[in-house]
Amino acid sequence: MENVLVTSALCKRYGRAYALKDVTMSVPKGAIYGFVGRNGAGKTTLIRVVCGLQKPSGGTYSLYGVENDDRAIASSRRRMGAVVETPSLYLNMSAEDNLKQQALMLGLPSYDAIPGLLDLVGLGHVGRKKVKNFSLGMKQRLGIAVALTGNPDF
């Protein structure tokens, strides 16, 4: 079975403190995984490392068989969608326009999927409302829709 993510002795240190220490795991294609743990357990750090937002202090990981130190890892990351802590949204734009912006950044040929994404996350009725007027939960749901734009594999 093909693995989407493989980590081997992955570490992330801040000074003397470890946020991740020797994390070894495999996530097969099609699997559903969740990270559960106390505050400070390293859940967000692991996601940030895999997304390329932080560099590991040690160990390795691969996405779709591409090692983290290979330049081709950037193309593997384009197959991912993630919401890391608080979604990055354009507050003065509508939900629909936020998704259009994401589609542009991904080089998608059309905006046809946007109404379906908004419906999927329960925001179909507020597509033209400015994000600055959304509740926190609505912003989180829009962040999920942004992460799902382009139908990522992972």
Side-chain angles (χ1 to χ4, degrees), residues 41-49 54 84-85:
K43 303 176 299 288
T44 300
T45 300
L46 176 61
I47 294 168
R48 292 178 67 80
V49 167
Q54 294 181 328
V84 183
E85 294 180 335

Side-chain angles (χ1 to χ4, degrees), residues 15-133:
R16 292 184 181 182
Y18 280 92
L20 299 174
K21 188 171 184 184
D22 298 327
V23 176
T24 300
M25 63 185 287
S26 297
V27 178
K29 185 176 182 176
I32 297 173
Y33 270 66
F35 296 112
V36 179
R38 295 177 296 164
N39 289 349
K43 303 176 299 288
T44 300
T45 300
L46 176 61
I47 294 168
R48 292 178 67 80
V49 167
V50 171
C51 288
L53 301 172
Q54 294 181 328
K55 292 188 182 267
S57 303
T60 62
Y61 67 92
S62 65
L63 289 169
Y64 301 99
V66 179
E67 295 295 322
N68 63 288
D69 57 357
D70 187 323
R71 292 177 74 133
I73 194 77
S75 62
S76 291
R77 285 193 185 110
R78 291 183 63 84
R79 298 173 68 182
M80 295 174 56
V83 179
V84 183
E85 294 180 335
T86 305
S88 297
L89 302 168
Y90 298 101
L91 299 179
N92 286 319
M93 293 169 61
S94 68
E96 188 175 292
D97 287 340
N98 268 270
L99 293 177
K100 285 180 180 177
Q101 185 62 41
Q102 181 68 7
L104 279 172
M105 290 190 301
L106 293 173
L108 299 179
S110 78
Y111 303 134
D112 293 345
I114 290 175
L117 282 171
L118 288 171
D119 286 339
L120 179 68
V121 298
L123 296 175
H125 62 290
V126 295
R128 297 186 187 274
K129 184 177 178 182
K130 288 194 184 236
V131 174
K132 67 182 176 184
N133 298 317

